[in-house]
Amino acid sequence: MPELPEVETVVRSLAHLVGRRIVSAEFRCLRVLRGGNPDAMAARVQCRRIAAVKRYGKFIVMSLGDGGYLMVHLGMTGRLLLAGPAGKHTHATLTLDRGVLLYEDSRQFGCIEFSQDFPKRVARLGPEPLEVSFDDFAAALRRRKTRIKPLLLNQAFVRGMGNIYADEALFRAGIHPLAFASRLRADRARKLYDAMIAVLTEAIAAGGSSISDYVDAEGRKGLFQLSHRVYQRTGEPCVTCETPIRRVIVTQRSSHFCPRCQKR
DNA sequence: ATCGGTACCTGCACGC
DNA sequence: TGCGTGCAGGTACCGA
């Protein structure tokens, strides 16, 4: 579920965790821990202070006092919640000096990991879409042989775009999801760059998209699903030309687009 | 070094 | 009521 705007919203709702101390921790699900030892991990984070909570693409990184990092990825169904109760899919509970932080994830595609050094998976990500310059973005597009939709989903290209915002950005830019990245001329690359920034900025302002169950750390839903123009609107009229929106599978993922407005 | 395909998990909506 | 199917915001890993 959570893409850049949802993760940004979660991180903002976690702002007051900074300065809190982790009194105790309990980790349960081995899959979500990526094979880490639950008790050893609890011992590593216990009594540590949360020094910072930052977002890198779709990753959340908490810096702990005296070094070390707690990295969280929400996968498709992950949630960080500032209130209980714990349920069937609660895989981690951090008891703080004031309050509690729960990690839940029914599909277990997310992860929560402790590392002494800054996590390598985060260091390997591409640039933030809201920070990359147009020249760097356009140059990177020219270097890629693949089609534009899977490229936007590639976190080594830009970090944080997912299926919703890739489809929405391509619609706004008038670019077909199967267009080849390297063949986009400068004016279309500029349209895509502007559309990507606009859609992400608007979605953050709306608190993200709540498709089925996304909520921020205080349980609030987002509103941006009301502004989707193509995502999960298959068969509905295009907001621009009224042609029915189509859905095709591109590298195993649904792509929603207007066959008239979006050109290869 | 880059790709596209597959695997991983649960829950829900749907048709029969 | 139950069963099978297809679908869902994600990434990692594999072989070509």
Side-chain angles (χ1 to χ4, degrees):
Chain A
M1 165 250 357
E3 305 182 27
L4 187 154
E6 291 76 33
V7 180
E8 177 64 25
T9 304
V10 169
V11 165
R12 288 182 185 185
S13 65
L14 292 175
H16 59 278
L17 284 186
V18 174
R20 297 273 61 77
R21 189 178 292 281
I22 300 168
V23 175
S24 64
E26 191 187 347
F27 300 100
R28 296 175 198 88
C29 174
L30 283 177
R31 176 178 169 76
V32 158
L33 298 182
R34 292 292 190 275
N37 179 304
D39 294 335
M41 202 162 132
R44 301 296 290 280
V45 303
Q46 208 155 35
C47 301
R48 312 283 290 275
R49 201 171 279 287
I50 299 171
V53 184
K54 289 192 180 173
R55 180 189 60 75
Y56 298 84
K58 303 172 195 169
F59 287 83
I60 298 167
V61 178
M62 292 186 226
S63 311
L64 303 183
D66 306 323
Y69 301 89
L70 196 57
M71 180 190 82
V72 176
H73 195 289
L74 301 176
M76 295 272 256
T77 49
R79 291 174 163 188
L80 281 172
L81 297 170
L82 289 166
K88 182 179 171 187
H89 300 298
T90 305
H91 305 312
T93 303
L94 301 186
T95 304
L96 309 172
D97 51 0
R98 200 165 66 226
V100 67
L101 182 65
L102 305 181
Y103 176 75
E104 304 187 345
D105 185 0
S106 64
R107 286 179 75 180
Q108 304 173 33
F109 284 176
C111 62
I112 178 162
E113 287 178 48
F114 173 84
S115 58
Q116 195 57 49
D117 300 321
F118 189 79
K120 290 187 189 64
R121 286 167 61 194
V122 177
R124 281 197 293 261
L125 296 169
E128 280 288 329
L130 296 178
E131 292 172 6
V132 67
S133 71
F134 172 69
D135 288 346
D136 288 348
F137 180 78
L141 280 180
R142 266 179 260 122
R143 266 184 258 122
R144 299 301 191 119
K145 300 187 73 136
T146 186
R147 300 182 192 262
I148 190 63
K149 172 70 188 283
L151 184 58
L152 292 176
L153 297 180
N154 180 347
Q155 304 298 297
F157 177 69
V158 281
R159 63 190 195 220
M161 298 276 284
N163 214 27
I164 297 174
Y165 299 104
D167 280 2
E168 292 296 318
L170 287 170
F171 172 77
R172 292 186 185 209
I175 296 171
H176 194 287
L178 292 174
F180 286 100
S182 59
R183 302 231 194 100
L184 292 174
R185 301 207 181 282
D187 60 325
R188 303 188 79 205
R190 168 55 82 170
K191 276 193 174 177
L192 179 57
Y193 176 80
D194 291 344
M196 171 177 80
I197 289 172
V199 77
L200 292 174
T201 304
E202 289 171 33
I204 291 170
S209 301
S210 289
I211 297 298
S212 66
D213 56 4
Y214 161 75
V215 290
D216 72 10
E218 301 192 278
R220 293 178 294 235
K221 291 192 174 210
L223 292 172
F224 196 70
Q225 67 280 6
L226 303 174
S227 301
H228 293 173
R229 300 182 191 170
V230 287
Y231 183 75
Q232 287 190 349
R233 292 193 65 246
T234 308
E236 293 178 47
C238 170
V239 294
T240 305
C241 72
E242 301 189 355
T243 302
I245 298 303
R246 258 198 230 155
R247 171 177 169 272
V248 292
I249 303 297
V250 181
T251 57
Q252 319 300 110
R253 309 291 306 274
S254 284
S255 272
H256 311 79
F257 69 103
C258 171
R260 184 159 166 201
C261 295
Q262 293 175 251
K263 304 293 178 203
R264 295 209 193 186

